[in-house]
Amino acid sequence: MFNIMITLIDTVVAWRWGDWRNWRSYHATILYFICCDLLHNVLTEGHHLWKYAPTAILPNHTLMNLFVMLIAYPSMLLVYLGRFPSGRLKQIGWISLWVALWSMLEWFSMWLGQFSYNNGWNIWWSIVFNMALFVFSRLHYIRPLLCYGLSVIAAVLLVWYFKVPVRELE
């Protein structure tokens, strides 16, 4: 239930602090973010690196992940991109704040037993992944083609390093 609660809090935060006036300018980045998570779920089906625990409302990983994907990600990006500061030091601080927040929430979710790591993934990998996630989100917003290229490289490296059995996919 913790993940559902956090996702619902995300919507309240987005309602209050999200840049709704300019949502169309973030639309492509929101779709990029969702597509990356969908791709992750397809490639790692049967070999999850991380997984949501079932709840009474959302009884499996896939439904929980779709709920987070369609509610939390757009909400978060409306705030993250909509309030992205100018100035390199402020930008580093902003990215660091989001990485720390997401990593702490993930760790707490794991501690509560509502999120698990598998196949060599752990909180340290999640922290590195969250860094890339927030840098790539901003990069996609300002230079999408460069971001696509770097995303493909990152995905191939993760599949290779974590020995994701993509040849066994249907």
Side-chain angles (χ1 to χ4, degrees), residues 29-74:
T29 301
I30 290 169
L31 293 177
Y32 158 79
F33 204 94
I34 291 170
C35 285
C36 286
D37 199 20
L38 281 170
L39 180 62
H40 157 262
N41 278 282
V42 167
L43 291 177
T44 62
E45 179 61 34
H47 190 85
H48 290 285
L49 300 178
W50 58 85
K51 198 170 182 179
Y52 292 103
T55 66
I57 299 169
L58 297 166
N60 57 52
H61 166 78
T62 301
L63 291 176
M64 183 68 212
N65 205 110
L66 285 169
F67 179 73
V68 170
M69 237 185 267
L70 299 174
I71 306 297
Y73 296 168

Side-chain angles (χ1 to χ4, degrees), residues 14 17-20 22-33 72-86 91 94-95 98 133-143 147:
W17 291 288
D19 184 12
W20 289 96
N22 298 307
W23 72 269
R24 282 182 177 84
S25 68
Y26 311 123
H27 187 250
T29 301
I30 290 169
L31 293 177
Y32 158 79
F33 204 94
Y73 296 168
S75 299
M76 175 274 305
L77 286 166
L78 285 172
V79 178
Y80 174 73
L81 293 173
R83 297 184 162 273
F84 203 88
S86 57
Q91 291 173 347
W94 186 244
I95 292 168
W98 283 85
L133 179 134
F134 285 105
V135 168
F136 279 27
S137 294
R138 174 63 181 174
L139 182 60
H140 182 273
Y141 181 68
I142 57 175
R143 305 242 348 245
C147 185

Side-chain angles (χ1 to χ4, degrees), residues 105-119:
L105 288 172
E106 182 179 305
W107 178 86
F108 195 63
S109 180
M110 187 263 317
W111 184 74
L112 290 171
Q114 297 192 5
F115 190 85
S116 64
Y117 301 117
N118 306 290
N119 298 304

Side-chain angles (χ1 to χ4, degrees), residues 103 106 115 117 121-131:
S103 299
E106 182 179 305
F115 190 85
Y117 301 117
W121 196 268
N122 58 45
I123 188 63
W124 301 109
W125 278 109
S126 283
I127 292 168
V128 171
F129 185 80
N130 287 339
M131 285 182 212

